[in-house]
Amino acid sequence: MFVSPYIRTVTTASGATAVQVVLEEHAGRKTMKHIGSAHDDSELALLKAQAQRFIDGDQLVLDLGLGGEWEASGIGSKGSSAAGEFAEGWGTAGVY
């Protein structure tokens, strides 16, 4: 079964926290990539960040400059009619 890769942490026998990326699951088996083992919270944070970079494929995040506070508008947002906006767009283009 296809699953989106995700980060998994497990406690090892030595008491460390292992950070792994689960790549796929099939018939109860998981294919994983071991990122590393942390012995304190700062190491754990670093390993989780490294695991996230592995998942993202070292792709940079696109900053849209929305600042976290934005409001949906356009087709599909509250108070809009997809059919009405579609017709309005065609009317503006002079199609009908």
Side-chain angles (χ1 to χ4, degrees):
M1 178 169 91
F2 175 78
V3 296
S4 294
Y6 63 92
I7 299 170
R8 164 184 140 132
T9 58
V10 292
T11 303
T12 65
S14 67
T17 302
V19 177
Q20 304 165 335
V21 175
V22 178
L23 301 170
E24 68 179 356
E25 295 180 23
H26 182 68
R29 297 187 57 163
K30 295 178 180 172
T31 303
M32 294 178 270
K33 164 117 176 103
H34 178 77
I35 303 300
S37 296
H39 298 280
D40 60 37
D41 289 340
S42 62
E43 287 180 356
L44 182 60
L46 288 172
L47 289 173
K48 283 184 175 182
Q50 186 177 351
Q52 189 61 54
R53 280 194 305 275
F54 177 81
I55 290 172
D56 295 341
D58 285 329
Q59 180 175 344
L60 298 175
V61 175
L62 176 61
D63 182 7
L64 298 176
L66 300 175
E69 292 191 30
W70 56 279
E71 191 172 314
S73 63
I75 295 175
S77 65
K78 277 187 174 180
S80 75
S81 161
E85 290 184 19
F86 181 76
E88 181 181 315
W90 279 105
T92 303
V95 175
Y96 74 93

